[in-house]
């Protein structure tokens, strides 16, 4: 199918002004900071090498068939919204991406060997502030199932040491819905230890920060764990620890409804991915529950 060229008006188009205008509009709609950074990165890539309105060739370059489905969908969403804004400003008459469709994403949870997770954690250098922070952040996600993008935005005031709960406001959650999740005493103890290494002049409100007292980014956290992955030979990302929490929660006897609330899933189908365990998990769970044991004796009388 042949795509139409973008029809433009004659007045001047300023890419910097339009990008900033778009980000401002998204911010007013309540889009979180991490998503705003993703939008900016995508739009800068779209305008790379051009001053005017991006053409079809530039769009195709940024939405190459070779990029991952999730990454592709995020960029496509940004570009669709951006061109819609250009229409409202009178820069173009039609959205060139109206006929473009999002890719279907198949979500498969990997199997994580317990020994590999322990090995990965043991390789993190906890003798430095950054290393100890990364180690505790891994434990934090393993204990709560919180998204990495949410973890880096949590402030110290969001953590209630008495009730052992973490409050996530709608401003930092992916779904824009606030939720409260439980946290173990062990992780709280680790956090207290980390806080003792912070300098007073940092005046840092965030639960996890850089070695200079600034807000940490998910990109930086992911980069740090990539170094650990290379050193340990075990490929784990910050988001993998969220998956590990969910699968282990179910295997340890947790129910899907509670898990959905903890994970912040809007649809039960998203949580059910973790419930679809392998046959070994099902056999173990079946023996543990032992429904039949409520009604019959395990000992059978001999047939005469």
């Amino acid at each position: 199918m042949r795509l139409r060229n973008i029809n433009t008006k004659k007045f001047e188009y300023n890419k910097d002004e339009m990008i900033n205008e778009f980000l401002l509009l998204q911010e007013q709609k309540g889009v979180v900071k991490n998503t705003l950074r993703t939008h900016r990165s995508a739009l800068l890539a779209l305008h790379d090498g051009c001053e005017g309105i991006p053409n079809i060739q530039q769009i195709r370059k940024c939405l190459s068939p070779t990029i991952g489905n999730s990454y592709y969908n995020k960029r496509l969403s940004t570009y669709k919204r951006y061109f819609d804004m250009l229409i409202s400003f009178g820069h173009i008459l039609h959205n060139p991406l109206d006929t473009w469709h999002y890719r279907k994403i198949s979500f498969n949870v990997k199997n994580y060997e317990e020994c590999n997770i322990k090995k990965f954690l043991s390789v993190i250098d906890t003798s430095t502030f950054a290393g100890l922070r990364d180690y505790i952040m891994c434990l934090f996600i393993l204990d709560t199932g919180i998204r990495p993008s949410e973890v880096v935005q949590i402030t110290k005031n969001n953590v209630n040491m008495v009730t052992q709960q973490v409050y996530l406001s709608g401003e930092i959650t992916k779904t824009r819905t606030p939720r409260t999740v439980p946290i173990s005493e062990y992780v709280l103890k680790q956090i207290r230890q980390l806080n003792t290494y912070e300098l007073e002049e940092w005046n840092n409100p965030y639960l996890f920060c850089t070695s200079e007292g600034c807000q940490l980014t998910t990109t930086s956290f992911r980069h740090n764990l990539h170094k650990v992955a290379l050193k340990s030979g075990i490929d784990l990302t910050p988001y993998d620890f969220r998956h590990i929490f969910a699968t282990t929660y179910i295997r340890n006897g947790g129910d899907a409804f509670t898990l959905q609330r903890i994970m912040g899933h809007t649809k039960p189908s998203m949580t059910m991915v973790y419930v679809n365990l392998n046959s070994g998990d099902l056999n173990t769970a079946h023996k543990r529950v032992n429904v039949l044991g409520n009604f019959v004796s395990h000992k059978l009388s001999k047939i005469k």
Side-chain angles (χ1 to χ4, degrees), residues 76-179:
L76 179 58
S77 176
T78 299
Y79 297 157
K80 277 177 177 273
R81 296 178 189 180
Y82 182 73
F83 285 118
D84 279 341
M85 185 197 74
L86 294 188
I87 292 174
S88 67
F89 275 75
H91 282 292
I92 59 177
L93 301 178
H94 306 285
N95 191 323
L97 294 172
D98 276 343
T99 59
W100 289 50
H101 301 289
Y102 294 102
R103 294 177 182 174
K104 185 176 181 180
I105 299 178
S106 57
F107 182 67
N108 296 316
V109 179
K110 295 186 293 185
N111 255 333
Y112 305 92
E113 296 291 336
E114 186 176 307
C115 59
N116 287 339
I117 299 168
K118 291 180 178 179
K119 180 181 178 182
F120 183 94
L121 292 173
S122 68
V123 169
I124 301 176
D125 182 12
T126 56
S127 65
T128 66
F129 175 82
L132 180 62
R133 176 206 62 213
D134 292 341
Y135 173 75
I136 297 175
M137 288 179 72
C138 291
L139 296 185
F140 192 93
I141 300 174
L142 272 176
D143 188 38
T144 63
I146 293 175
R147 297 178 180 89
S149 60
E150 296 168 341
V151 171
V152 296
Q153 298 182 80
I154 294 174
T155 65
K156 295 172 183 176
N157 291 334
N158 293 138
V159 182
N160 191 318
M161 296 286 185
V162 178
T163 62
Q164 297 184 19
Q165 291 179 321
V166 180
Y167 173 72
L168 304 176
S169 66
E171 295 178 354
I172 70 174
T173 62
K174 180 180 179 180
T175 60
R176 315 302 298 162
T177 304
R179 71 182 191 277

Side-chain angles (χ1 to χ4, degrees), residues 61-80:
K61 180 181 177 181
C62 292
L63 294 174
S64 167
T66 59
I67 64 177
N69 290 353
S70 178
Y71 189 51
Y72 176 94
N73 288 346
K74 287 180 180 179
R75 281 203 163 183
L76 179 58
S77 176
T78 299
Y79 297 157
K80 277 177 177 273

Side-chain angles (χ1 to χ4, degrees), residues 201-220:
E201 54 264 32
W202 285 358
N203 194 26
N204 165 52
Y206 294 100
L207 189 63
F208 300 107
C209 65
T210 68
S211 300
E212 291 76 33
C214 302
Q215 184 180 9
L216 189 70
T217 64
T218 51
T219 301
S220 178

Side-chain angles (χ1 to χ4, degrees), residues 3-56:
L3 297 174
R4 296 170 298 181
N5 287 326
I6 304 171
N7 297 314
T8 62
K9 297 279 186 177
K10 292 183 178 180
F11 51 83
E12 185 180 357
Y13 170 85
N14 187 303
K15 68 173 185 179
D16 294 326
E17 287 183 3
M18 287 298 98
I19 291 176
N20 289 333
E21 187 69 32
F22 176 80
L23 296 176
L24 179 61
L25 289 172
Q26 296 304 307
E27 185 177 8
Q28 290 173 347
K29 291 179 180 179
V31 174
V32 296
K33 292 181 180 179
N34 282 339
T35 303
L36 290 176
R37 282 193 285 265
T38 301
H39 285 326
R40 179 181 290 277
S41 175
L43 292 174
L44 289 176
L46 183 65
H47 288 85
D48 185 32
C50 77
E51 291 297 326
I53 299 175
N55 56 35
I56 294 300

